[in-house]
Amino acid sequence: MPTLNKLRAAGSHQPKDPDLSRLRIALTVFFGLDGFVFAGWVVRIPAIKEQTGASASALGLALLGVSAGAVVTMTLTGRLCRRFGSHPVTVVCAVLLALSIALPPLTRTPLTLGAVLLIFGAAYGGLNVAMNSAAVDLVRALRRPVMPSFHAAFSLGGMIGAGLGGLVAGGLSPGVHLLALTFIGLAVTAAAAPTLLRRPAPAPLPESTSAARSDGSPRHTRWIVVVFGLIALCTAYGEGALADWGALHLQDDLHAGPGIAAAGYSLFALTMTVGRLSGTLLLERLGQTRTLVAGGATAAVGMLAGALAPTVWAALLGFAVTGLGLANIFPVAIERAGALAGPSGVATASTLGYGGLLLGPPMIGFMADWYSLPVALTSVAALAAVSAAIGFAVRGVSTRA
C-alpha cells in the first residue's frame, strides 16, 4: 500500500493537535509573505532600471545578483537548519528579506544595484529553503499531503503583491513603495514568528533512516534527491519561460492587444494557484506518483496548445491548462526530497528548481532566435513530459516515506 494511503488512514483516527494547526497557519503566512515581497520587487524593476540608468545588458547582469545570492545561500541554509532548526532560520531570513527589499531604491548605479540584490537574493533563497524544510517536517507530523497548500499561499501572495504593486506604481516612488513592504514584512513576521519560535519543528526522519527507506546507501539517496530536484527544475523552467515570454508570444505571434497579452501570465498564475489549493485533495485521491505523472502530461498538452495554437483564445486556454498541470509538481518534488534527506534534500532540490527558473527565459530567447518563439515554447512542453517520465520512473521511491 502506498505510504500516502497509510498516512491518511493513520491520521484519520488521531485528534487534531492545535499546536500543529497553529504551526501550519504561521508557515502559510511566511509562504504568502515571500511571494508578496518578491512580486512587489518585480513590478518596480522598470523604475529601478530608469533610476540607475542601466542598459538592458547592465540590468541583466545586476539581476543575476538575486540568482547568485539565492543559489549560494540555499546550500548554506540547509546546514543552518540542521544546526539551529528550521523555525529560527525561517524567522531570521524573513526579517532579512523585509529589510533588504528597501535597498534597491537607494542605489544609483548598476554595480551598487547588483551588490544589494546579492543581499536580497541571499535572504530570498534562505527563506525558501528554511520554510520548505519546516513545511516538510510539518507534513510528516500532520500525516496529510498538505505541501501544495503552502505553495498556493506563495502563488497567492505573489498575485496580490503584483496587483497592489501595479496599482500604486503610478502614485508612489519605488523608495516609498518598497519601504512600505519592509514595514509590512516586519509586521507580518512579528505576528507569525512567536508561533514558530515557541515550538521546535516536529522531529524529521533521520537522514540515515531516510536513506534506508529509499532502499539504498546514502549516496543512492543523494542521487534520488537530485532526481527530484530535476523534476522541480522542469517545472520551474516552465514558470520562468511563461513569465518572461508568454505575453510576447501572444502579442507578437498571435497579434493580441497589450491587455490580453498581459492577461496570459495572470491566467497561468491563477490556475496554478487554484491547482495548488486543490493539491492536498488531489494527492489524497491519486497519490504522489499519479499526481506527478498526470500533472506533467497535462502541462505538456497544455503548453503544446499554448505554443502552437493559431488563435489567441486557444493559446490562453493552453496557458491555463499548463498552470493546472504544473501546479503541484514542484511542491511534491520538494517534499519528497526533504522526506528523504532532510534540510539538505530541500536545499539541493530547491537549488536545482531555482536553476530551472533562471534557465528558462534565456534558453527560450536563444531558441527563439534560432527557430521561432512558438517552437521555443514547446521546450516547456517537452520538459513537462520529462518530469512526468521521471516521476513514473521513481515511483517506488515517491510512494515510500
Side-chain angles (χ1 to χ4, degrees):
M1 179 187 296
T3 299
L4 190 60
N5 295 333
K6 292 180 181 178
L7 294 182
R8 182 176 55 179
S12 62
H13 298 290
Q14 294 179 351
K16 289 186 177 180
D17 186 337
D19 286 342
L20 294 181
S21 297
R22 285 191 285 270
L23 279 179
R24 182 179 179 183
I25 293 171
L27 275 176
T28 299
V29 168
F30 279 109
F31 272 85
L33 176 65
D34 188 39
F36 178 79
V37 170
F38 189 79
W41 147 248
V42 167
V43 299
R44 300 316 297 252
I45 289 177
I48 299 295
K49 177 181 182 295
E50 182 178 353
Q51 173 185 298
T52 57
S55 64
S57 58
L59 178 65
L61 289 174
L63 291 176
L64 283 177
V66 179
S67 311
V71 169
V72 170
T73 310
M74 281 178 170
T75 303
L76 175 63
T77 305
R79 300 173 185 173
L80 293 175
C81 287
R82 288 198 303 273
R83 181 170 182 179
F84 300 106
S86 58
H87 288 184
V89 177
T90 296
V91 173
V92 170
C93 289
V95 171
L96 291 176
L97 183 71
L99 293 174
S100 62
I101 192 63
L103 297 178
L106 304 179
T107 62
R108 293 294 180 269
T109 67
L111 181 61
T112 55
L113 177 62
V116 301
L117 289 181
L118 276 171
I119 301 172
F120 177 71
Y124 177 73
L127 179 58
N128 272 271
V129 170
M131 66 186 183
N132 271 291
S133 296
V136 167
D137 293 338
L138 184 57
V139 166
R140 297 181 65 80
L142 288 171
R143 295 177 176 268
R144 289 194 67 207
V146 299
M147 194 69 167
S149 67
F150 296 118
H151 288 261
F154 174 85
S155 298
L156 188 59
M159 291 176 63
I160 295 173
L164 289 179
L167 288 175
V168 305
L172 294 180
S173 68
V176 174
H177 176 201
L178 298 186
L179 183 60
L181 293 188
T182 291
F183 286 113
I184 293 172
L186 292 176
V188 171
T189 300
T195 301
L196 265 64
L197 296 178
R198 278 198 296 262
R199 173 168 178 164
L205 199 67
E207 295 191 24
S208 59
T209 305
S210 298
R213 294 198 179 200
S214 65
D215 294 338
S217 65
R219 177 176 294 183
H220 175 73
T221 299
R222 284 193 293 271
W223 276 110
I224 294 297
V225 166
V226 170
V227 168
F228 283 114
L230 291 176
I231 293 175
L233 183 152
C234 292
T235 304
Y237 177 97
E239 290 189 58
L242 279 171
D244 285 20
W245 294 100
L248 191 65
H249 168 58
L250 293 172
Q251 190 165 342
D252 289 359
D253 298 318
L254 299 176
H255 312 295
I260 297 296
Y265 180 72
S266 298
L267 185 59
F268 168 79
L270 175 62
T271 56
M272 176 168 278
T273 302
V274 171
R276 285 174 170 175
L277 287 172
S278 59
T280 296
L281 179 62
L282 193 67
L283 284 165
E284 289 178 332
R285 295 290 178 85
L286 299 181
Q288 291 172 337
T289 296
R290 290 177 182 174
T291 299
L292 286 175
V293 174
T298 300
V301 171
M303 199 58 230
L304 281 177
L308 303 178
T311 67
V312 171
W313 300 109
L316 287 174
L317 178 61
F319 284 7
V321 173
T322 304
L324 286 174
L326 294 181
N328 295 303
I329 300 177
F330 190 95
V332 170
I334 296 297
E335 191 276 330
R336 288 310 307 146
L340 285 167
S344 61
V346 173
T348 298
S350 296
T351 302
L352 285 169
Y354 197 78
L357 194 65
L358 304 177
L359 179 66
M363 287 299 297
I364 295 293
F366 287 133
M367 287 186 285
D369 284 340
W370 295 333
Y371 305 105
S372 68
L373 183 52
V375 171
L377 287 173
T378 61
S379 64
V380 175
L383 285 184
V386 168
S387 73
I390 295 175
F392 181 77
V394 295
R395 60 192 179 278
V397 175
S398 63
T399 57
R400 186 180 291 116

